[in-house]
């Protein structure tokens, strides 16, 4: 079993915590969006991403407190560069995709922190474990699209990612950095 699976688990957690912003019911542009993650195995960074995810966003930048943001990630869509590693990550010690095919995020509050900047708080659920997370998001607008970007750190063991022998954080670090870029249509002016 390769340690790359741990990275995939981190990516999944990250993807679920990733918020998208928009109020009337905005749409994600998948070809211009990405949910990625980085973990460390024996001190070496390992990068991955999720190929399939969806967001339900209702967000008005002038009334962020009324926002509703939901995210769903297909855990089996993890991309780590090798089929062997991706097959390993699907197993029970990692994502256990047969029993837990999706990771989810549901916002509870959205708060403006500066021009085009927001903290999105909510529940991230992965592999049957649910934890509160706060995701800082920066919005930028160009043409008719809005791009939401940010990153945050999760603890993989909080979500039972890397059970059994993989709990040893000297092999695979507990911290996983989740990074996202979401292209959205339908967001009002900032």
């Amino acid at each position: 079993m390769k340690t790359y699976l741990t990275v995939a688990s981190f990516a999944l957690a990250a993807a679920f915590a990733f918020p998208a912003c928009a109020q009337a019911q905005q749409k994600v542009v998948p070809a211009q969006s990405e949910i990625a993650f980085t973990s460390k195995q024996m001190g070496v960074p390992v990068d991955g991403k999720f190929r399939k995810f969806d967001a339900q966003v209702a967000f008005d930048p002038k009334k962020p407190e009324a926002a509703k943001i939901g995210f769903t990630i297909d855990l089996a869509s993890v991309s780590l560069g090798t089929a062997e590693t991706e097959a390993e990550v699907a197993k029970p010690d990692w994502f256990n995709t047969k029993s837990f095919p999706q990771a989810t995020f549901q916002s509870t509050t959205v708060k403006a922190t500066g021009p085009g900047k927001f903290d999105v708080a909510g529940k991230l659920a992965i592999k049957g474990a649910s934890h509160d997370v706060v995701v800082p998001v920066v919005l930028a607008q160009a043409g008719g699209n809005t791009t939401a970007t940010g990153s945050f750190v999760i603890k993989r063991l909080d979500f039972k990612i890397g059970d059994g022998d993989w709990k040893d954080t000297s092999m695979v670090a507990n911290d996983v950095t989740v990074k996202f870029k979401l292209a959205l249509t339908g967001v009002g002016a900032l």
Side-chain angles (χ1 to χ4, degrees):
M1 179 167 16
K2 296 196 175 203
T3 54
Y4 292 111
L5 297 178
T6 303
V7 174
S9 300
F10 295 130
L12 178 58
F16 288 111
F18 175 16
C21 299
Q23 171 88 8
Q25 212 48 45
Q26 292 73 30
K27 300 280 185 194
V28 173
V29 181
Q32 297 172 20
S33 300
E34 179 178 77
I35 297 174
F37 58 94
T38 301
S39 66
K40 288 192 177 180
Q41 296 175 40
M42 298 177 69
V44 177
V46 178
D47 297 323
K49 64 182 178 179
F50 291 95
R51 295 181 299 257
K52 294 181 183 176
F53 52 88
D54 191 24
Q56 303 76 42
V57 179
F59 177 81
D60 178 348
K62 298 191 182 344
K63 296 180 185 174
E65 65 281 353
K68 300 279 187 225
I69 300 167
F71 213 90
T72 303
I73 296 172
D74 178 353
L75 295 179
S77 76
V78 68
S79 175
L80 290 163
T82 68
E84 179 183 314
T85 301
E86 291 160 8
E88 184 64 31
V89 173
K91 293 181 178 178
D93 279 352
W94 295 101
F95 286 145
N96 194 3
T97 59
K98 284 188 180 178
S99 296
F100 304 100
Q102 297 180 328
T104 61
F105 173 82
Q106 185 59 57
S107 68
T108 53
T109 62
V110 177
K111 179 176 73 171
T113 59
K117 296 180 180 181
F118 302 87
D119 278 349
V120 180
K123 293 276 185 189
L124 175 62
I126 303 170
K127 200 176 170 185
S130 179
H131 292 280
D132 293 325
V133 296
V134 176
V135 180
V137 177
V138 176
L139 297 182
Q141 294 182 319
N145 286 349
T146 299
T147 303
T149 58
S151 69
F152 60 100
V153 175
I154 64 164
K155 303 285 188 190
R156 70 177 176 91
L157 295 177
D158 287 352
F159 296 96
K160 304 175 198 164
I161 299 170
D163 277 343
D165 292 341
W166 297 106
K167 285 184 178 180
D168 181 359
T169 57
S170 69
M171 287 289 291
V172 178
N174 195 24
D175 287 355
V176 175
T177 300
V178 177
K179 300 168 274 192
F180 59 89
K181 176 181 95 169
L182 292 180
L184 303 163
T185 62
V187 177
L190 296 177

